[in-house]
Amino acid sequence: MHQQQKEELVLARHVYEVALGQNVQSDRLRAFIAPMTGFSGDMILTADAHGVGLVAMLGDFTGHGLPAALGALPVSQLFHELSAKGEPVEVIAQRMNASLSRFLPGNMFCAATIIQIPVGPGPLRVWVGGLPDLLVASAEGTIRTRLPSLHMPLGILSAKHFETRVQTIELQPGERVFIYSDGICDCANVEGEMFGEARLEALFDGATPAARLFDKIRDASSRYIDGQPQDDNISLLEVAARQV
């Protein structure tokens, strides 16, 4: 039984890694995931969007480990199929919600941010459902603005009640967008105290330019945990302004 379990996990990992291995690379995107266990319920997807530019998504499924990671399979497939067709973020969110509503049990859902990045000038288009506020950092490294979650996570609402409203951001030269799961704020030190939103936002103090904030956030949360077991998956996605 132990050998059979090992073989099943090897197969599951192969399918999981193939599903999430289609991401495109871009100098405008940086991503980091620290899973709580061998399988992460957090996922970051990136794709070329036909005639549009890039599309990126950070998703955070309910729970941990393999059960949470299974939701990545239909989401990844839909994300890449729809991105390749140049579908806008609201359509991608709508189709994912419909798929997950059918696929997942009632107690599972996926908090997500989906962002469309134009190839040329123009605003970023963002759909946010259930994740922490998206933060926009000025070139100097302060929080210029934030986009809150306007929607329920994917997989909860019926098609009739699902909302597709999109927010937009105009990035100035040197600015960065930061999208993250609640695992960063929820990670705890040896005393059991959470890192929290206040510590996270204090890193945007203007002493570190936006181009170096990604490493600053990742390193600060890692030092805070100081080797303690994670209570949740941690994920971070950065989108940089277009080079002029």
Side-chain angles (χ1 to χ4, degrees), residues 12-211:
R13 176 163 293 282
H14 172 76
V15 174
Y16 177 77
E17 290 178 350
V18 169
L20 299 184
Q22 305 174 58
N23 285 349
V24 300
Q25 303 299 313
S26 169
D27 57 5
R28 294 188 64 183
L29 300 172
R30 292 187 71 186
F32 169 73
I33 294 182
M36 178 182 171
T37 63
F39 289 93
S40 175
D42 286 10
M43 63 178 180
I44 294 175
L45 302 172
T46 61
D48 283 316
H50 179 68
V52 176
L54 295 171
V55 183
M57 172 179 172
L58 191 153
D60 180 1
F61 278 92
T62 313
H64 312 290
L66 182 56
L70 285 175
L73 303 182
V75 167
S76 175
Q77 181 179 1
L78 260 179
F79 175 84
H80 288 285
E81 287 179 359
L82 297 173
S83 296
K85 295 178 181 178
E87 297 286 4
V89 291
E90 58 268 37
V91 171
I92 295 174
Q94 189 175 44
R95 291 283 302 277
M96 285 183 178
N97 181 74
S99 176
L100 292 178
S101 296
R102 295 191 303 267
F103 181 80
L104 296 179
N107 63 340
M108 282 190 70
F109 53 83
C110 179
T113 293
I114 309 172
I115 184 166
Q116 197 165 30
I117 307 157
V119 67
L124 280 66
R125 305 181 71 250
V126 188
W127 185 94
V128 189
L131 280 182
D133 291 355
L134 177 154
L135 301 178
V136 180
S138 67
E140 296 75 25
T142 60
I143 297 175
R144 175 171 71 81
T145 190
R146 65 182 72 223
L147 298 187
S149 171
L150 298 182
H151 307 297
M152 297 287 285
L154 301 170
I156 294 179
L157 297 177
S158 66
K160 178 180 178 181
H161 295 100
F162 185 76
E163 299 175 339
T164 59
R165 179 182 169 190
V166 168
Q167 302 175 78
T168 60
I169 315 166
E170 287 277 5
L171 289 185
Q172 303 303 315
E175 292 188 334
R176 299 287 195 278
V177 170
F178 292 93
I179 304 164
Y180 56 95
S181 66
D182 57 8
I184 289 183
C185 293
D186 291 349
C187 68
N189 62 13
V190 66
E191 285 82 22
E193 184 180 2
M194 290 185 179
F195 189 68
E197 290 184 14
R199 283 191 180 85
L200 174 63
E201 295 193 8
L203 299 174
F204 295 76
D205 56 7
T208 304

